[in-house]
Amino acid sequence: MVEVTVKDHGIGIKAEDQCKLFKPFSQVDPFLSKSSQGTGLGLSLVKQIVHLHGGYVWFRSVQEEGSTFAFAIPINGYIKSGK
């Protein structure tokens, strides 16, 4: 497996908003207060693509400390079949 991790030291994501992160068209920031544009598809697409490659996605976020997002995918064409 190869693992890719992205970490920031920003404001973090509230615990009550974390369930929205990988849902299509779901955004954490209220639409009217957003300073940047987006459709809410990015993380949903990442999760789908990683899963199609036999991998998995996870994150950790703590308010006022930042967030870490990561994914792991098989390398060398090896996909664990579960059998």
Side-chain angles (χ1 to χ4, degrees):
M1 302 288 273
V2 63
E3 181 179 303
V4 177
T5 303
V6 177
K7 184 174 185 173
D8 70 47
H9 298 286
I11 61 170
I13 301 166
K14 295 177 187 176
E16 61 266 22
D17 290 331
Q18 292 181 5
C19 62
K20 301 175 188 175
L21 289 179
F22 294 100
K23 292 181 180 176
F25 302 107
S26 181
Q27 298 178 342
V28 173
D29 291 334
F31 181 75
L32 295 175
S33 70
K34 289 182 67 89
S35 59
S36 61
Q37 299 296 316
T39 60
L41 284 174
L43 288 174
S44 174
L45 290 173
V46 166
K47 183 177 179 180
Q48 289 180 35
I49 292 167
V50 168
H51 283 182
L52 286 171
H53 286 281
Y56 49 94
V57 177
W58 68 97
F59 74 96
R60 177 184 174 275
S61 187
V62 178
Q63 276 193 276
E64 306 303 325
E65 292 183 22
S67 302
T68 301
F69 287 85
F71 69 88
I73 55 174
I75 55 175
N76 296 329
Y78 174 78
I79 296 177
K80 185 176 179 181
S81 67
K83 294 182 181 181

